[in-house]
Amino acid sequence: MAEESRRSIGVGLIGFGTIGKGVVKVLAQNAGVIEQRLGFPLRMVAIADLDTETDRGVDLSGIRFDSDAEGLIAAPDVDIVIELVGGYEVAKRFILAAIGAGKPVVTANKALLALHGKEIFAAAENAGVDVAFEAAVGGGIPILRSLREGLSANHIDRVMGILNGTTNYMLTEMEQTEEAFEVVLKRAQELGYAEADPTFDVDGIDAAHKLALLTAMAFGAELTYKEIPTEGIRQLTPIDFELAREFGYRIKLLGIAKCHRDGGEERIEARVHPTMIPLGSMLANVDAAMNAIEVRGDAVGPTLYYGAGAGEMPTASAVVADLIEIARELQRGGAGPVAPLSYLPHHLVPKPSVALDEQSGRFYLRFTVADELGVLAEIAGALGENGVGIESVVQKGSLESETVVPIIVLTHRANEAALRDALAQMDELQQVKAPTLVVRIEEEV
Ligand code: HSE
């Protein structure tokens, strides 16, 4: 009884969009179970958003709602500030203001943390307050908590996964319906999956933001977003999905991070790109807006985390989980942050990266060429001269009326730099009519 009669914790929300609405709903509909776990209520007391007119369809009784974010941060009944504004400058200003006021912050802003995390976490450490961000990666999947807590006994070797719900939904739809990229993108936006700027999703940027956070947490490497080679899904067409299946693969946009531990030195390989993975693998069977992340530790072996990677209620679930953890800490006297990125801040150090050119693998190549005699010999010649062996060749759509055709090549294992040299050589040929699509094949999934 004594536990339950403690004071409540007041929450203030800045940014009342889709996820914010979900947070209000979860706090209201699960108030009972949250109090049973926490021992006291968690109450939304104030919301700030520039748009105070639109009816969000949620009950706001007892909650102040205006456009005054600074007032919200300063309010004595706001113990924890949630930042769901998104973007960089304004969100950063609010987060730093909350930290400056000694208030812990919960955010889902992976873009901001990937680029400005160092400054924000340093400010939080100096002020002795928490910054929590479970919702920033994998939507509702508690992947960050798993890395920080459940796997903290391990050296992590590899983190690999489907980190963007929008593109996974789009790839699934494009494969199943053979619809065009623009059509499925519009549908993803209507379903509320896509970022405000959809290029963040379709060009792999959102996945790279998330991979930067995962890389830091998994390997103790300083945030490296700008060093992550990133490719999106714009170039994929129905023919690629059809051929992937014929070759025994599905195409997924993967974030891949590995720690190479050679002779005491740690080097980090991190990349985001469409990847062909074996049809029977678990990641290949993750469809629609779902996310899945595999983490391999030296003691635990492979582990897999699956769930809704985007959307109102799953993302709100992660935000509220952070609120509960922080509320518990505040109630105990608030010792402040320990290691938001899993490693103690002074053990989070820059680590050299492994360049793409150093890597080897098998590749799916789609050439767009003039349907002329001898073009296949030119392709084989350029690849062969650079040491890239051919495993299979398929030509599609060789109708007499067509003058430009796709030629698909599956390579043997080859060095990426050698492949790039071969492609650069081929781009010079007048028979090559468009940039060649390269999709990496990853067998060990
Ligand atoms: N746009 C993101 C996605 C939202 O599609 O995964 C969740 O981070």
Side-chain angles (χ1 to χ4, degrees), residues 45-63:
V45 295
I47 298 177
D49 193 289
L50 289 179
D51 173 8
T52 54
E53 295 301 314
T54 306
D55 178 7
R56 272 75 166 184
V58 288
D59 183 7
L60 295 181
S61 36
I63 303 175

Side-chain angles (χ1 to χ4, degrees), residues 110 135-136 163-167 193-195 201 206 210 291 309-310:
K110 55 262 169 174
L163 301 174
N164 183 269
T166 304
T167 44
Y193 298 144
E195 296 296 304
D201 294 299
D206 175 71
K210 293 166 179 169
N291 281 191

Side-chain angles (χ1 to χ4, degrees), residues 94-406:
F94 290 147
I95 289 178
L96 292 176
I99 291 171
K103 299 194 178 176
V105 175
V106 175
T107 177
N109 196 333
K110 55 262 169 174
L112 178 65
L113 293 179
L115 272 80
H116 302 285
K118 202 174 165 185
E119 180 186 347
I120 289 169
F121 292 127
E125 197 195 355
N126 287 336
V129 298
D130 274 303
V131 172
F133 50 99
E134 182 64 71
V137 182
I141 307 171
I143 180 63
L144 303 187
R145 202 160 262 107
S146 299
L147 276 171
R148 201 156 44 83
E149 313 282 347
L151 299 175
S152 56
N154 289 261
H155 285 108
I156 306 294
D157 305 319
R158 184 175 91 170
V159 180
M160 172 189 276
I162 295 166
L163 301 174
N164 183 269
T166 304
T167 44
N168 204 48
Y169 169 82
M170 291 178 66
L171 293 175
T172 308
E173 289 287 295
M174 285 166 78
E175 182 183 8
Q176 290 173 358
T177 65
E178 296 184 18
E179 284 172 307
F181 172 87
E182 288 75 16
V183 176
V184 292
L185 172 59
K186 189 158 179 289
R187 204 150 61 232
Q189 285 174 306
E190 283 162 6
L191 287 167
Y193 298 144
E195 296 296 304
D197 179 352
T199 60
F200 272 34
D201 294 299
V202 299
D203 293 332
I205 298 164
D206 175 71
H209 288 148
K210 293 166 179 169
L211 190 68
L213 293 170
L214 290 172
T215 304
M217 293 183 79
F219 312 130
E222 203 172 80
L223 287 164
T224 52
Y225 164 70
K226 288 194 174 130
E227 285 165 39
I228 299 179
T230 302
E231 295 166 19
I233 65 164
R234 282 180 203 270
Q235 275 188 287
L236 296 168
T237 61
I239 201 174
D240 304 312
F241 295 96
E242 183 192 327
L243 279 158
R245 191 162 278 276
E246 279 179 28
F247 289 131
Y249 301 108
R250 285 189 88 191
I251 305 173
K252 293 291 176 190
L253 182 72
L254 291 191
I256 301 171
K258 299 178 188 172
C259 186
H260 297 248
R261 298 188 172 94
D262 316 310
E265 194 201 24
E266 290 191 338
R267 295 198 307 151
I268 309 298
E269 170 190 338
R271 48 202 163 96
V272 171
H273 50 70
T275 314
M276 288 194 183
I277 54 177
L279 275 172
S281 60
M282 285 195 274
L283 287 182
N285 289 288
V286 174
D287 282 336
M290 303 308 273
N291 281 191
I293 303 147
E294 188 233 57
V295 183
R296 232 166 43 182
D298 60 349
V300 73
T303 60
L304 186 69
Y305 307 84
Y306 169 85
E312 178 185 320
M313 295 303 271
T315 311
S317 159
V319 170
V320 175
D322 279 347
L323 291 176
I324 292 171
E325 184 179 329
I326 292 175
R328 227 175 241 142
E329 280 303 310
L330 288 177
Q331 207 66 26
R332 286 196 195 124
V338 181
L341 286 171
S342 184
Y343 285 70
L344 290 171
H346 62 283
H347 285 297
L348 211 58
V349 293
K351 295 194 177 170
S353 48
V354 180
L356 269 185
D357 275 0
E358 287 181 57
Q359 294 165 28
S360 297
R362 290 167 63 237
F363 300 91
Y364 165 99
L365 310 174
R366 173 166 48 75
F367 298 95
T368 304
V369 293
D371 193 10
E372 292 171 11
L373 214 59
V375 71
L376 202 53
E378 295 277 6
I379 292 174
L383 289 172
E385 275 169 37
N386 288 281
V388 181
I390 294 178
E391 187 181 306
S392 311
V393 181
V394 178
Q395 178 169 343
K396 284 275 173 183
S398 55
L399 297 172
E400 260 173 48
S401 58
E402 291 186 1
T403 53
V404 174
V405 290

